[in-house]
Amino acid sequence: MLEKKINASAEVTVLEDGKSENWTVQPSYAAQHCKNFIRDIVDNLNLQPNPEKPVIALSLGDPCVYGNLSPAPEVVQAVADVLVGGRSNGYFPSVGQECARQAVAEYLSVDGAQISPSDVILCSGCSSALEHAITVLACGKKGHNILIPRPGFPIYRTLAEAIGVGVRYYNLLPEQNWEVDLFHLESQIDHNTAALVINNPSNPCGSVWSEAHLRAVMSVARRRRIPVIADEIYERLVFPGESFISVAALEAGVPTLICGGLAKRFLVPGWRLGWIVVHDETSALHDIRSALVRLTQRTIGSCTLIQAALPAILQQTPITFHSNLAKTLQRHAQLAYECLKKAKGLTPYMPQGAMYMVVEVDMSGFPMFSGGLELAGRMMEEESVFCLPGEVRVPLV
């Protein structure tokens, strides 16, 4: 028998043997398997900055962190107008407002790509778009995996493993400007592979693939009948002299979900406005389209204020804003590259776009450190400079 004893502060259930009933509530599978691999490593480092030197944080892809890079005045004004207008405070369709989707379709219809508003689904940032893309292609298929680049953005693994999807890595080649090792890529495909994730321009490599190489990667996907998730959050954010081409412009015959957003090229990562473009020349994604709509209904869409401002943001931001940003990032990268290449034991790789640089460390020249993790910790202790250790980008498994 159970007996309840009630006092002023709590209700306690007492079992018939006189012992209180203790609860242990277990987290879900998704919660247990959700791990941010950057934070998991970094948070376990003993990172104590030098108190005499200001911290220089080089570990986060946030272009706004130091305040020297700001969105265009036209972008800010577009949101201000919407806010003052007061007509975008309610719910929009879960896939996004029609005029906003139209604006994205027009913005991305370049280099021969033909995108319609019906191809566009708005999301809460590019990470949300990636989550939807991985979920719709792989979740629930027992034993399935996705292929992700190495080195690469750890959130792909975070999003996949949280929903029970395995990951397999394909190598990028530093000596070839971080192009894909096509032989290794193909060797990683098996009958359980549900999607191939590509990231161009690359985080963390800063590489920009040529059209020929992009076609070679897509040809593997077409031959092996693997749909592609294209992370193009850095689209057109390339240095002078470089060219970006979207998979949507290739006519490669591969069903593809293209993920992007405002965050990087417009310098507003906190505004959380991303998108998925369903690029489907083969009509293989008919069921995927309707499934994506159902997924968006879980969160009832992205921020309505930014959606309403999208047409003005995408149409009125001067091209000079984007070109000046690219020139600024190139100057910064060139300065870092020239300094680092003079350092004994370091090999920097000059990026072609985005806002990242990979620096190879010859650990034989630093015998006092056991590895990249310890080196990163000591850089913080001595110089208050925080760089991400390579372990978070180049997993060994």
Side-chain angles (χ1 to χ4, degrees):
M1 295 179 62
L2 297 177
E3 178 183 352
K4 289 185 177 180
K5 296 183 178 180
I6 302 176
N7 57 35
S9 60
E11 178 180 303
V12 179
T13 300
V14 181
L15 301 179
E16 58 185 6
D17 61 3
K19 295 181 179 179
S20 297
E21 182 180 22
N22 294 319
W23 279 17
T24 301
V25 180
Q26 295 296 321
S28 69
Y29 177 94
Q32 291 187 65
H33 291 81
C34 184
K35 180 189 293 185
N36 184 312
F37 293 92
I38 292 179
R39 300 312 324 166
D40 185 58
I41 290 178
V42 169
D43 289 349
N44 288 318
L45 292 174
N46 183 24
L47 296 175
Q48 302 297 326
N50 186 330
E52 298 180 357
K53 298 183 178 182
V55 173
I56 300 175
L58 304 178
S59 60
L60 187 64
D62 182 354
C64 308
V65 67
Y66 285 110
N68 60 314
L69 298 176
S70 301
E74 292 83 357
V75 171
V76 177
Q77 188 61 51
V79 177
D81 290 343
V82 170
L83 182 61
V84 172
R87 294 186 298 275
S88 302
N89 297 324
Y91 290 123
F92 285 171
S94 62
V95 295
Q97 187 183 40
E98 179 67 19
C99 66
R101 296 165 70 199
Q102 175 71 42
V104 172
E106 293 175 357
Y107 168 73
L108 296 177
S109 292
V110 295
D111 299 324
Q114 298 294 323
I115 297 170
S116 71
S118 62
D119 298 326
V120 177
I121 294 174
L122 300 185
C123 306
S124 296
C126 188
S127 58
S128 175
L130 290 166
E131 180 180 26
H132 285 335
I134 293 171
T135 300
V136 79
L137 290 176
C139 183
K141 300 176 182 178
K142 187 175 180 180
H144 276 208
N145 62 72
I146 62 172
L147 304 183
I148 63 178
R150 178 172 56 191
F153 188 26
I155 200 171
Y156 307 137
R157 180 181 175 187
T158 298
L159 296 174
E161 293 186 345
I163 55 174
V165 176
V167 297
R168 308 187 78 177
Y169 297 97
Y170 63 88
N171 291 335
L172 305 181
L173 301 170
E175 67 276 12
Q176 296 181 22
N177 289 324
W178 303 104
E179 291 185 342
V180 176
D181 183 334
L182 297 173
F183 295 104
H184 188 248
L185 168 63
E186 191 144 14
S187 74
Q188 296 301 97
I189 298 172
D190 64 16
H191 67 281
N192 284 323
T193 301
L196 164 63
V197 178
I198 63 175
N199 177 209
N200 177 51
S202 167
N203 171 2
C205 303
S207 55
V208 181
W209 293 343
S210 68
E211 179 179 342
H213 183 65
L214 190 57
R215 286 189 181 279
V217 174
M218 297 296 281
S219 71
V220 174
R222 181 177 184 177
R223 185 173 65 256
R224 300 299 297 270
R225 300 179 71 84
I226 305 295
V228 165
I229 299 172
D231 181 356
E232 295 186 355
I233 187 61
Y234 298 97
E235 52 89 22
R236 286 182 269 179
L237 189 54
V238 300
F239 297 164
E242 304 292 341
S243 298
F244 165 79
I245 185 166
S246 170
V247 294
L250 293 181
E251 298 183 0
V254 179
T256 304
L257 300 180
I258 303 171
C259 301
L262 289 181
K264 309 299 185 176
R265 193 170 185 237
F266 291 84
L267 302 179
V268 288
W271 289 10
R272 311 308 302 146
L273 197 292
W275 51 71
I276 298 174
V277 172
V278 181
H279 183 64
D280 187 20
E281 300 161 335
T282 63
S283 299
L285 299 179
H286 178 272
D287 293 339
I288 293 298
R289 287 177 182 269
S290 56
L292 279 171
V293 172
R294 292 194 294 272
L295 285 177
T296 66
Q297 292 168 349
R298 297 189 305 178
T299 55
I300 322 298
S302 58
C303 177
T304 58
L305 294 177
I306 309 303
Q307 283 192 51
L310 258 183
I313 291 173
L314 296 178
Q315 296 163 12
Q316 297 177 17
T317 301
I319 190 64
T320 53
F321 170 81
H322 297 302
S323 60
N324 288 338
L325 173 60
K327 291 176 183 177
T328 297
L329 293 174
Q330 184 184 46
R331 286 199 306 271
H332 294 177
Q334 191 69 50
L335 176 63
Y337 176 78
E338 295 297 334
C339 291
L340 289 170
K341 74 177 184 179
K342 300 174 184 176
K344 183 179 179 180
L346 302 183
T347 302
Y349 293 88
M350 180 63 191
Q352 300 161 293
M355 51 189 67
Y356 305 95
M357 177 181 290
V358 173
V359 180
E360 182 179 348
V361 181
D362 179 3
M363 294 307 299
S364 66
F366 302 91
M368 69 290 292
F369 303 126
S370 60
L373 293 174
E374 186 179 356
L375 175 60
R378 289 291 294 277
M379 286 175 62
M380 189 68 163
E381 290 176 9
E382 295 182 14
E383 300 297 332
S384 294
V385 174
F386 183 27
C387 295
L388 283 178
E391 285 85 344
V392 303
R393 298 292 194 173
V394 191
L396 299 179
V397 294

